[in-house]
Amino acid sequence: MRILVTGGLGFIGSHVTEALVADGHDVAILDSVHPYAHREQPPTPDGAVLRLGDIRDPDILDELLPGVDAVVHQAAMVGMGVDMADLPEYVGCNDLGTAVLLAAMTRHRVGSLVLASSMVVYGEGAYACPVDGPLAPAPRDTADLAAGRFEPRCPRCGEFLVPGLVDEDARLDPRSVYAATKLAQEHLASAWAHAVGGAAVALRYHNVYGPRMPRDTPYSGVAAIFRSALERGDAPQVFEDGGQRRDFVHVRDVAAANVAALAAATGSMTGLRAYNVASGHVTTVGEMAGSLAEVMAGPPPIVTGRFRAGDVRHVVASPARARHELGFAARIDFRAGLTEFAAAGLRS
């Protein structure tokens, strides 16, 4: 098939492109080399054709989409950002960009989409109260956080909650600008799919790490932030008490999930279907920092007790739906993947 990959020069997008080429697809890339993601233009993955340009330019999409069978939409601004001054650029790149893409796909009768979504659409993960059972947590109180009480409380009785696994039918509660734009992308894709009879697969990536990750910037993931500190000879600075539960999934596993999702999106499905893309293994942020420090022979992490408004405590996924419906299961062991990551090149 002929596939257009938006954002195909990026950290995840470049691995997705390589996996699609290896699977026998004819791949074109559209990438703007946005300065928040790239300080310089990365190399084009072997076997793919690059078109530099902005996804918000309909003329470029009209040039690229004729003859395309499906779009794998990776292009987005990611991360927490700096402050609310980033809001227009997040919405412009992520939501307006997606809207312009979907309108162009409609013009050119391209009916299959794989969308890079994120775990951030959930906000907090799944919890249960020892007294009141499963429920959504109340926002964490600043006084609790300042006192080192980091676990969410039950909104009914005030007891600390017990975390569990979040599945794709959980309540969606974005807690950041980035999260709000990712959820809006899902809604736009769903509306498009229902309107045109198309198929959209939304892949909710959990904490992705691996080679070519961007270095330490406000738009980087925590693994890159910790690695950059260790390369400087500094101890990783771990927020809260380090007990935040996450699922770290290797970027090549994410690429494999995209190949599996493409098969579903170009099959018999219609509408939008969301899937967690996760390893299925729980790792705390503190454990990840400690393991990375060990494999890099660096100083052990420092648990600072600091916190950020808008951070969530625990988000750990159930990977069952992707395994049962897409046939996707992550294969790369966390320790082996982290050892590779510690020595791999990062993006400048």
Side-chain angles (χ1 to χ4, degrees), residues 33-42 214-218 347-348:
V33 194
H34 196 291
Y36 286 174
H38 306 282
R39 294 190 179 97
E40 57 189 34
Q41 183 175 327
R215 289 188 181 275
D216 183 2
T217 78
R347 295 285 177 90
S348 299

Side-chain angles (χ1 to χ4, degrees), residues 53-87:
D54 195 310
I55 195 173
R56 294 168 287 188
D57 185 336
D59 292 336
I60 292 176
L61 292 170
D62 286 340
E63 170 193 328
L64 292 174
L65 284 172
V68 163
D69 297 295
V71 175
V72 178
H73 184 25
Q74 306 291 317
M77 278 185 65
V78 302
M80 289 288 288
V82 176
D83 54 35
M84 281 294 139
D86 279 336
L87 198 157

